[in-house]
Amino acid sequence: MPKSLPYHDFLMARLKSPSYVAVYLETHFELDEGEEPDEALLRLALSNVAEALGQPKMTPEEYELYLKKLDELLSQQGSDTIYNLGTWLNALGLKLTVAVCNDTEDNTANAEIPAQLSV
């Protein structure tokens, strides 16, 4: 009988694809109205991406420093966090694109795509 791949191995193989990374991270960043982000879940998703895309390109020391930078990044507040996350993802070859809706009447029209992750 064929054996299935362990989930982590399967996930790491899938996260080698930039388009899969975009969908994977988008599902972690999308929040329902009034929902607060789960820092532990975001950290897990981002560290999985770093493991799949960054670890093969980095020394073990560089990889550990990169994960420490993620911890610092997630402890920040405000727009600096978004900018720093974009920089952090850029080092992995990814680009973070954020769309902001300023018109409160148009929020429902733009609510479907509040942020995009481009690769």
Side-chain angles (χ1 to χ4, degrees):
M1 180 180 337
K3 293 185 177 182
S4 63
L5 287 174
Y7 176 71
H8 186 76
D9 294 342
F10 172 78
L11 179 61
M12 290 301 111
R14 297 290 295 182
L15 287 175
K16 301 284 185 206
S17 164
S19 59
Y20 187 84
V21 169
V23 171
Y24 178 73
L25 288 179
E26 185 176 349
T27 61
H28 287 82
F29 286 122
E30 286 182 352
L31 300 174
D32 291 330
E33 189 174 329
E35 184 180 6
E36 292 293 320
D38 183 340
E39 185 179 324
L41 187 59
L42 286 176
R43 186 193 188 294
L44 177 63
L46 291 167
S47 62
N48 284 338
V49 170
E51 182 178 345
L53 297 177
Q55 195 173 27
K57 301 174 189 174
M58 300 177 187
T59 66
E61 295 80 19
E62 289 172 328
Y63 179 70
E64 288 302 318
L65 286 173
Y66 199 67
L67 289 181
K68 285 182 183 180
K69 187 175 180 181
L70 176 61
D71 289 335
E72 293 171 13
L73 185 148
L74 291 177
S75 68
Q76 297 173 353
Q77 298 291 320
S79 60
D80 285 344
T81 305
I82 296 170
Y83 174 79
N84 291 333
L85 178 60
T87 303
W88 189 88
L89 288 167
N90 193 34
L92 296 173
L94 302 171
K95 180 181 176 184
L96 179 66
T97 304
V98 179
V100 179
C101 179
N102 291 326
D103 185 6
T104 57
E105 292 180 19
D106 198 28
N107 274 347
T108 55
N110 290 329
E112 295 177 15
I113 307 175
Q116 297 176 327
L117 179 67
S118 304
V119 273

